[in-house]
Amino acid sequence: MTTDLRNIAIIAHVDHGKTSLIDVLLRQSGAFRENQQVAERVMDSNDLERERGITILAKCTSLLWNGQRINIVDTPGHADFGGEVERILNMVDGVVVLVDASEGPMPQTKFVLGKALKLGLRPIVLINKVDKPDQRANEVLDEVFDLFAALDANEDQLDFPVLYASAKQGWAADDPDAERKDMRPLFDLILSHVPAPVVEADKPFTLLATTLEANPYLGRVLTGRIHSGTVRPNMAVKALSRDGKVVEVGRVSKVLAFRGLERQPIEAGEAGDIVAIAGLSKATVADTLCDPAVETPLFAQPIDPPTLAMSFAVNDSPLAGTEGDKVTSRVIRDRLLREAEGNVALRISEAEGKDSFEVAGRGELQLAILIETMRREGFELSISRPRVVMKTDAQTGQQLEPVEEIQVDVDEEFSGVVVQKLSERKGDLVEMRPSGGGKQRLVMHVPTRGLIGYHGEFMTDTRGTGILNRMFHSYAPYKGQIASRHTGVLISNAQGEAVAYALWNLEDRGPMLIEPQTRVYQGMIIGEHTRGNDLEVNVLKGKQLTNMRASGKDEAVRLTPPIQMTLEKALAYINDDELVEVTPTSIRLRKRLLDPHERKRESRRAEAG
């Protein structure tokens, strides 16, 4: 047993202050100097993580306290990245459950905590943000206890220690009214409550790979905790898959350990430590890296199945290749396969057309993050409407669809409209109770396909004040047809640049999605029709010039600002016969079939069928 080492994960819901807490722990332990320039929220290093204020990738850091090393893993707090969370928990011996002092435990806390308790980990509860005026720390503690009981925690786990803190102000204490100094109480509690890793130092080397990244200098870098033995650079190792087959045999080129914010090469990785290993070319997540003498792989946690899929196809619009430099199916395929290697919650398969790929994942956000990352790398793609991944019941042959549990916190005046909208989307109300401050808490079970595109509507219905959280619940029998978008669209009938005068004339037909001077092509969606049918329009038509001039006739055209389409909004907006064209500089909506005659033939075939 390595007594001077502790491995912990910090689990919490989105926005409860997890990454800020790690910042202050690093600062107070001396991992960086007082005057050192470091970015705020140092663990959210990815551009998209900074922009959205969420953690997407699990990351490790390490610090020293009283001569003992603490390895800390920052886990994603969003259910779409649950694939990361499950694997990370296998690397640690304890968890700090971080809960907001006013919001209380939320669905993602429940999701990750349930996984941690099943693995037998003993948690420390840290109630954060007790400096906020609306904090209700004592009630939140009761809610946390109820949650532990509901998740079948054992007696040891129910006897959890509690600290109160403000990560922003940099203090933790046994009591919310105690003296507020620093994070020492948390450091001391981690060392006394979290057990040191139980290891077998004298046995051959084994390590379960939990995360994978591609490094331009080192190649594939696999991170995991050493289960037994020691690993050194230039040592011969082999990789075993989950079912015990040999994936490859090779040599370790580098062993890297986490020291503060950096990964540093070390001469030997000891059992119990979390290290990164370079040198293998095929081994991936959930494989066991081991000494050539080892025959049995370590147990790897199975990953929850993907619930949502969409097609990633080559962009075949008339503007293809004008804004991005990665446009062929070969480079798209290579990029997707590379992504699937490191992200085990994704499943990639080739569609029949060979120019498109089906990408299945855990939710809209996870897939939208992948698309956004690819467009920033210079890719051009055509993306289909998200659809749910159905299953067939082996015994009854019945179609099963994924159902999500959603928790909504909303002002009482808006609870009626939320329940009504979600009932229309085949949702069932499970619980409805007041949550203090004139707010209601609703818990509902809603089919995943009913939630596609609902978030924007929810924010409008609740005037931006509602909070909606969701997590995978189970597969249930198919609940029937759910109504999609009620309006048709305005489609451009020619290629060129949109003219302000033409857009102005079309305003009574419906709101626009484009501005003047936007490049358009035949089959591109330029606006929303106020009626239920699609309408082809000419947005290139300028004003006819005559030699007659009259006062008031030639005033400047005043246009209503167009609807701004973000990537998530566009994916939720389109119907099955439409696509989102994604390039590094534009997001366009288009019909799957650009030719109007082909669209008519297709609709006749659909009606006949």
Side-chain angles (χ1 to χ4, degrees), residues 19 52 93 95 107 121 132 184 271 273 283 297 303 311 317 353 385 390 421 447 457 556 572 589:
T19 312
R52 292 166 185 252
D93 303 295
V95 290
L121 299 174
K132 282 167 71 172
R184 180 178 292 274
D273 203 357
I303 278 95
S311 295
S317 86
R385 177 180 167 79
M390 307 289 272
K421 289 277 178 79
E457 205 175 311
L589 274 58

Side-chain angles (χ1 to χ4, degrees), residues 178-405:
E179 191 185 358
R180 303 177 168 188
K181 280 169 54 184
D182 55 19
M183 282 289 172
R184 180 178 292 274
L186 178 58
F187 284 121
D188 294 344
L189 186 57
I190 289 170
L191 293 179
S192 63
H193 184 75
V194 176
V198 177
V199 294
E200 299 162 314
D202 51 345
K203 289 205 170 173
F205 162 69
T206 55
L207 172 147
L208 182 69
T210 38
T211 63
L212 165 75
E213 65 176 281
N215 185 293
Y217 306 107
L218 301 172
R220 290 161 80 88
V221 178
L222 292 145
T223 302
R225 179 167 78 166
I226 302 175
H227 190 261
S228 61
T230 306
V231 62
R232 291 185 171 81
N234 210 30
M235 182 172 134
V237 290
K238 70 177 177 185
L240 296 175
S241 63
R242 275 179 64 182
D243 53 5
K245 293 194 178 97
V246 177
V247 178
E248 70 172 313
V249 177
R251 283 192 179 278
V252 175
S253 61
K254 251 194 175 68
V255 180
L256 304 157
F258 298 88
R259 300 291 179 256
L261 295 180
E262 271 116 40
R263 267 196 320 211
Q264 295 171 357
I266 54 171
E267 284 308 307
E270 304 288 337
D273 203 357
I274 295 174
V275 297
I277 289 176
L280 296 171
S281 59
K282 288 183 192 160
T284 186
V285 167
D287 288 349
T288 300
L289 309 187
C290 55
D291 187 275
V294 175
E295 296 297 324
T296 315
L298 296 170
F299 171 73
Q301 189 76 11
I303 278 95
D304 284 353
T307 55
L308 212 62
M310 48 177 86
S311 295
F312 283 47
V314 170
N315 180 17
D316 61 356
S317 86
L319 300 179
T322 57
E323 294 168 4
D325 54 1
K326 294 171 183 166
V327 292
T328 63
S329 60
R330 184 180 58 79
V331 292
I332 293 169
R333 179 176 178 274
D334 292 349
R335 175 67 180 82
L336 289 174
L337 292 177
R338 201 164 70 241
E339 184 71 27
E341 279 181 350
N343 188 344
V344 292
L346 278 185
R347 209 169 55 208
I348 315 285
S349 53
E350 263 186 59
E352 291 167 18
K354 291 293 182 194
D355 273 355
S356 72
F357 308 90
E358 176 139 318
V359 182
R362 289 283 280 275
E364 285 169 274
L365 178 66
Q366 185 194 23
L367 295 173
I369 294 279
L370 171 60
I371 297 165
E372 184 62 42
T373 307
M374 287 177 71
R375 77 182 278 230
R376 292 181 184 202
E377 291 170 7
F379 283 88
E380 284 196 12
L381 303 161
S382 290
I383 311 290
S384 73
R385 177 180 167 79
R387 60 191 175 280
V388 295
V389 178
M390 307 289 272
K391 268 171 68 171
T392 307
D393 190 316
Q395 293 169 327
T396 62
Q398 201 176 13
Q399 279 256 296
L400 302 178
E401 65 173 329
V403 171
E404 301 199 22
E405 179 175 298

Side-chain angles (χ1 to χ4, degrees), residues 97 99 105 113 117 125 127 137-160 162:
V97 182
V99 183
L113 182 60
L117 294 176
V125 172
I127 297 177
N138 294 331
E139 291 164 55
V140 165
L141 181 56
D142 292 341
E143 288 174 17
V144 171
F145 190 86
D146 292 344
L147 176 62
F148 274 58
L151 292 171
D152 297 330
N154 61 35
E155 283 186 24
D156 267 4
Q157 291 169 331
L158 282 171
D159 188 21
F160 53 80
V162 184

Side-chain angles (χ1 to χ4, degrees), residues 537-552:
V537 296
N538 183 357
V539 287
L540 312 180
K541 193 177 175 187
K543 186 173 182 184
Q544 295 299 314
L545 296 180
T546 68
N547 58 0
M548 297 293 284
R549 289 288 175 270
S551 169

Side-chain angles (χ1 to χ4, degrees), residues 6-75:
R6 299 290 185 278
N7 295 317
I8 63 160
I10 297 188
I11 57 177
H13 190 77
V14 179
D15 225 18
H16 280 199
K18 180 173 47 200
T19 312
S20 307
L21 173 70
I22 292 175
D23 280 8
V24 75
L25 293 178
L26 286 167
R27 199 174 287 281
Q28 290 192 17
S29 68
F32 39 72
R33 301 184 313 275
E34 279 301 311
N35 63 347
Q36 187 175 341
Q37 287 289 309
V38 281
E40 188 189 351
R41 305 201 327 271
V42 287
M43 295 291 276
D44 284 347
S45 50
N46 170 316
D47 284 349
L48 283 169
E49 291 180 314
R50 292 190 168 283
E51 286 168 28
R52 292 166 185 252
I54 60 171
T55 302
I56 295 168
L57 308 165
K59 302 176 200 70
C60 300
T61 186
S62 168
L63 51 88
L64 283 170
W65 184 258
N66 292 346
Q68 293 182 295
R69 181 162 300 286
I70 301 173
N71 286 327
I72 301 176
V73 184
D74 180 17
T75 59

